[in-house]
Amino acid sequence: MKRWLLWLGVLLVLAGLEASLRGLIGPYAYQITVLVGVNIILAVSLNLINGFTGQFSIGHAGFYAVGAYTSAALVKFGGPAIRGLVGFLPAIGQDAVLLLAGLAAAAIVAGIAGLAVGIPSLRLRGDYLAIVTLGFGEIIRVVILNVDSIGGARGFSGIEQLSNFFWVYFFVLVTIVVIHNIVHSSYGRAFVSIRDDEIAAEAMGVDTTRFKVLSFVISSMFAGIAGGLFGHFTMYLHPNSFTFVASFNVIIMIVIGGLGSIEGAVVGATVFTVALELLRKLGPFRLVSFAVLLVLIMIYRPQGLLGSWTLFKGRRKAAPKAMVV
Amino acid sequence: MKHRTWSHASFLVLTAALAACAGGDQSADEILIGEYGSLTGTTATFGISTKNGIEMATEAINAAGGLLGKQVRIIVEDDQGRPEEAQTVVSKLINSDRVVALLGEVASSNSLAAAPVAQQNRIPMISPSSTNPAVTEVGDFIFRVCFIDPFQGFVMAKFAANTLQFTNVAILRDIKSDYSVGLADVFIQNFTTLGGTIASDESYSGGDTDFSAQLTALKATNPQAIFVPGYYTEVGLIARQAKALGIQAPLLGGDGWDSPDLIEIGGEALEGSYFSNHYSVDDPSPAIQKFVTDYRAKYGETPDALAGLGYDAAMVLFDAIKRAGTTEPQALRDAIAATRNFAGVTGTTTLDEHRNAVKPAVVLQIKDAKLAYVETITP
């Protein structure tokens, strides 16, 4: 009962912000705020693999792309049919149904892609896994480049704008809550045990491959959702947005925030996105100064801005299996 | 402790640097125009050439007293050649810098990403060199000063039929590229209208390296020329393999050939082949020669087509601001749309009802491993 009220309150606050934010901070800051949200979902989800399970994946942009294109394609080609089915709803309700259908498809297809990559490759460790995931990300991008019906090298244009601040931050909260609950469950402890010592984990009876694949699939699903939200916000998708550089950017976010901390991933994604925008004033020195900033953070805060600090530490100790919201 | 002090100091310096740069940049006696392009990244040469061209145009107009009694200032943003960055910087230029119009981008993918933002905010945008037809279809505030891809199919058909007096031409198209397919279709349509016949129509996929099957089939039909509207990498290989099979007919193509690497890959096999392009530095027209001389004096290099198109895009915009007598977006949009017979360095530009430029193209021939100007084909 209490939890329902909490969620209702959150939804009302988000809806209120959606209605007023664009006017308050201007469309440019609004756009950056939304992109921060998309990056938070990406960072928090990648943190599950890289931070909690200790597997080094550099193919996150691949799943992000799968989600973005799946959702955009479903809405573009199946949109009229879905709208017809829910024609009794007002326009805003139809948009919501359409977006949720697109995001569901994005999560499912990205999850399947995660499974397809995870099963054969997660028997590998360290550098080898990194290379496989890097290769996978590139395969996805090259496949998209060559599929004409979703735009190929031309880019996928004419995507309906369905996502906004409300939806992006709604899913930011969903991602954080779900991943937080997973991490603080017995599954989470299995993930962390794999990170800390894989052999010991196996000796204690943890099915390491199964848990690695599981963390990979969950992470891919959220990356897919982030992709769907991104595509329906920007209205245009191009394979160039999903190169391995995009994967590295997410890794940078979780490293500067603090590997293995959800709060760190949130802070990292925010700092990364906002700092790059603030540095625009520096013109040609923008990327150089950004690199200097990263170097400074790594020298003075090698554990990341937040390290493994967490808001819920006390509660986690008190109730190891608690499904805290 | 010392460690702590250092870290504080470096962050302070950085914050101070940021704050210093964050000063306001609005001024009543300036007209602000936004430019976005790839100044870093893999396509940085595109963005830099365009920026140089726009810079030259701006200096020229400011030296002549500016526009509407105000000086023109261009705010340049780097999009790193990435579509999502292009969209963000255009949103910044419009909402944060309050520019009255936008210039950019070169790559059609980046223009396509940014165009919806310009259209939503109803700020006119002129792309100097995005040739994909879809760009201006985004909306009525989006323009371009270059011709669209299929126009080159028309140019080469006219050139083959009228100048070269050929009646029998074969096609070899890149089936995976929109650009190539579009050029080939328009070529066939125009060439047959002009009385020619298509000897055969073969295709390959971008990235292929062996074309002997297609070339053998083409050779059997004995064409006078082969139209290959692909990109330079494959074209170079096709030329080599055609020569090896004993095909003497010249190759014809479009601006996808325009790269210094073309002759490096194709070598002597390309001698005598022709392709269409936006402009040629060897074009004897005085406007072009003056532009080339000025550009060389300022930047120490020969301007490529993108520099010329950047210059023209800025000049078309300045001309429209002058005619509109205001920078109010709707009036400015209408003035840009009314651009007729504007004499620029890349030819006389007229914007049609689809906001695309109707302008001449030049045909170049590869001669002694160099590009030689042949003629200008008008629409």
Side-chain angles (χ1 to χ4, degrees):
Chain A
M1 181 60 199
K2 237 173 133 186
R3 191 174 295 172
W4 273 111
L5 277 177
L6 184 66
W7 275 106
L8 190 68
V10 165
L11 287 182
L12 282 176
V13 169
L14 284 179
L17 283 172
E18 168 61 31
S20 59
L21 202 61
R22 210 186 285 258
L24 280 176
I25 59 176
Y28 168 55
Y30 176 89
Q31 179 164 6
I32 302 303
T33 311
V34 170
L35 292 180
V36 166
V38 171
N39 282 339
I40 290 177
I41 301 178
L42 283 175
V44 171
S45 61
L46 183 67
N47 207 12
L48 186 64
I49 307 178
N50 288 31
F52 289 108
T53 318
Q55 305 302 307
F56 199 65
S57 163
I58 38 181
H60 215 47
F63 304 108
Y64 181 41
V66 167
Y69 274 87
T70 304
S71 177
L74 181 86
V75 168
K76 181 147 187 175
F77 303 120
I82 296 173
R83 273 189 201 279
L85 279 177
V86 292
F88 55 89
L89 290 171
I92 190 166
Q94 290 185 20
D95 283 356
V97 170
L98 208 52
L99 178 69
L100 291 173
L103 295 180
I108 292 168
V109 178
I112 291 171
L115 192 67
V117 183
I119 288 176
S121 59
L122 283 167
R123 292 169 197 282
L124 302 171
R125 291 179 192 183
D127 310 349
Y128 305 103
L129 175 68
I131 291 168
V132 170
T133 52
L134 176 69
F136 165 75
E138 285 300 288
I139 290 172
I140 294 282
R141 193 177 63 83
V142 172
V143 167
I144 293 171
L145 267 178
N146 287 287
V147 178
D148 199 53
S149 57
I150 51 170
R154 203 166 60 241
F156 196 174
S157 52
I159 302 168
E160 260 189 275
Q161 189 165 35
L162 299 171
S163 86
N164 51 27
F165 174 86
F166 174 82
W167 285 114
V168 169
Y169 279 86
F170 174 70
F171 279 100
V172 165
L173 291 177
V174 169
T175 311
I176 292 175
V177 168
V178 169
I179 294 202
H180 180 267
N181 284 352
I182 290 174
V183 166
H184 292 163
S185 70
S186 58
Y187 286 89
R189 284 192 298 279
F191 293 156
V192 174
S193 72
I194 293 172
R195 175 189 72 187
D196 289 343
D197 192 329
E198 197 167 337
I199 295 168
E202 198 138 15
M204 296 303 290
V206 175
D207 183 348
T208 52
T209 303
R210 180 169 154 255
F211 278 102
K212 282 196 275 183
V213 172
L214 187 67
S215 107
F216 210 68
V217 169
I218 295 169
S219 170
S220 309
M221 289 175 77
F222 282 106
I225 290 176
L229 291 164
F230 173 75
H232 289 297
F233 182 72
T234 60
M235 298 177 283
Y236 177 77
L237 292 171
H238 191 277
N240 282 359
S241 303
F242 306 101
T243 56
F244 64 87
V245 177
S247 299
F248 279 117
N249 286 345
V250 187
I251 293 175
I252 294 174
M253 291 171 207
I254 59 177
V255 172
I256 59 175
L259 270 175
S261 153
I262 291 176
E263 294 85 349
V266 174
V267 170
T270 312
V271 167
F272 180 92
T273 320
V274 174
L276 269 177
E277 286 309 315
L278 291 178
L279 290 171
R280 276 198 196 286
K281 308 274 182 192
L282 301 180
F285 299 106
R286 171 179 173 234
L287 295 177
V288 181
S289 7
F290 185 65
V292 171
L293 186 67
L294 292 182
V295 170
L296 286 177
I297 292 177
M298 282 301 104
I299 289 176
Y300 295 112
R301 292 287 301 177
Q303 69 276 48
L305 291 172
L306 294 191
S308 51
W309 180 81
T310 164
L311 269 177
F312 298 97
K313 218 168 194 169
R315 287 175 80 178
R316 189 178 69 183
K317 271 185 185 159
K321 281 193 177 179
M323 304 291 263
V324 268
V325 172
Chain B
M1 267 331 272
K2 203 173 175 199
H3 187 80
R4 170 85 50 90
T5 325
W6 265 108
S7 86
H8 281 164
S10 32
F11 276 107
L12 267 179
V13 168
L14 212 83
T15 331
L18 277 179
C21 301
D25 40 16
Q26 294 290 341
S27 160
D29 49 0
E30 276 180 334
I31 293 180
L32 294 181
I33 291 168
E35 178 199 344
Y36 66 104
S38 52
L39 302 178
T40 57
T42 48
T43 53
T45 63
F46 292 178
I48 291 167
S49 289
T50 309
K51 176 171 163 280
N52 290 348
I54 293 175
E55 205 168 78
M56 268 182 68
T58 314
E59 280 173 16
I61 203 83
N62 282 340
L67 290 170
L68 316 177
K70 297 176 183 178
Q71 291 283 296
V72 176
R73 189 150 69 89
I74 309 278
I75 300 177
V76 190
E77 285 293 347
D78 177 22
D79 62 22
Q80 297 167 265
R82 286 163 51 192
E84 77 279 17
E85 284 274 317
Q87 192 167 52
T88 312
V89 296
V90 162
S91 175
K92 171 189 177 286
L93 286 168
I94 294 174
N95 299 308
S96 175
D97 297 320
R98 308 260 161 218
V99 299
V100 299
L102 289 159
L103 295 169
E105 227 252 31
V106 175
S108 294
S109 54
N110 296 338
S111 295
L112 276 167
V117 180
Q119 179 66 30
Q120 268 182 348
N121 287 286
R122 305 184 75 76
I123 293 290
M125 163 178 143
I126 304 181
S127 164
S129 38
S130 288
T131 51
N132 190 303
V135 173
T136 48
E137 287 163 13
V138 170
D140 60 350
F141 276 73
I142 316 298
F143 300 86
R144 80 178 102 215
V145 295
C146 54
F147 46 68
I148 55 173
D149 290 336
F151 173 65
Q152 296 181 69
F154 162 80
V155 168
M156 291 316 283
K158 198 167 160 186
F159 178 73
N162 296 351
T163 310
L164 298 175
Q165 299 282 326
F166 285 168
T167 54
N168 193 26
V169 173
I171 310 276
L172 182 54
R173 62 171 98 189
D174 178 353
I175 196 74
K176 279 208 299 210
S177 143
D178 244 23
Y179 161 81
S180 187
V181 171
L183 257 71
D185 288 343
V186 175
F187 181 92
I188 294 174
Q189 190 192 332
N190 284 286
F191 192 63
T192 45
T193 317
L194 290 165
T197 47
I198 301 298
S200 69
D201 187 353
E202 297 286 333
S203 63
Y204 63 93
S205 295
D208 285 358
T209 48
D210 180 26
F211 307 92
S212 45
Q214 295 96 321
L215 289 168
T216 312
L218 286 182
K219 194 187 174 195
T221 60
N222 215 1
Q224 288 167 295
I226 307 171
F227 183 54
V228 194
Y231 292 105
Y232 59 89
T233 326
E234 284 87 20
V235 170
L237 295 171
I238 288 170
R240 278 181 180 276
Q241 293 173 21
K243 276 290 168 311
L245 284 169
I247 297 175
Q248 296 304 323
L251 304 186
L252 310 175
D255 66 343
W257 286 29
D258 187 17
S259 161
D261 293 345
L262 173 73
I263 294 169
E264 209 161 285
I265 300 169
E268 277 186 9
L270 279 164
E271 282 295 310
S273 290
Y274 301 91
F275 69 96
S276 57
N277 207 344
H278 299 270
Y279 96 136
S280 158
V281 290
D282 300 325
D283 191 326
S285 128
I288 293 184
Q289 287 313 315
K290 181 175 182 318
F291 174 71
V292 171
T293 320
D294 291 353
Y295 191 96
R296 279 198 183 123
K298 190 165 161 56
Y299 300 105
E301 59 187 24
T302 305
D304 56 14
L306 300 174
L309 288 165
Y311 183 87
D312 277 0
M315 282 302 190
V316 163
L317 178 61
F318 299 157
D319 176 63
I321 293 176
K322 221 181 283 175
R323 279 187 285 112
T326 167
T327 53
E328 191 273 313
Q330 184 65 44
L332 183 53
R333 189 221 84 89
D334 295 342
I336 299 171
T339 300
R340 298 285 176 271
N341 298 320
F342 178 84
V345 295
T346 59
T348 305
T349 304
T350 294
L351 292 180
D352 66 12
E353 72 271 31
H354 304 296
R355 300 170 302 283
N356 295 322
V358 178
K359 66 196 291 185
V362 296
V363 177
L364 306 174
Q365 185 179 30
I366 297 161
K367 220 187 241 173
D368 304 326
K370 284 201 177 66
L371 300 181
Y373 169 77
V374 181
E375 72 171 321
T376 301
I377 306 255
T378 49

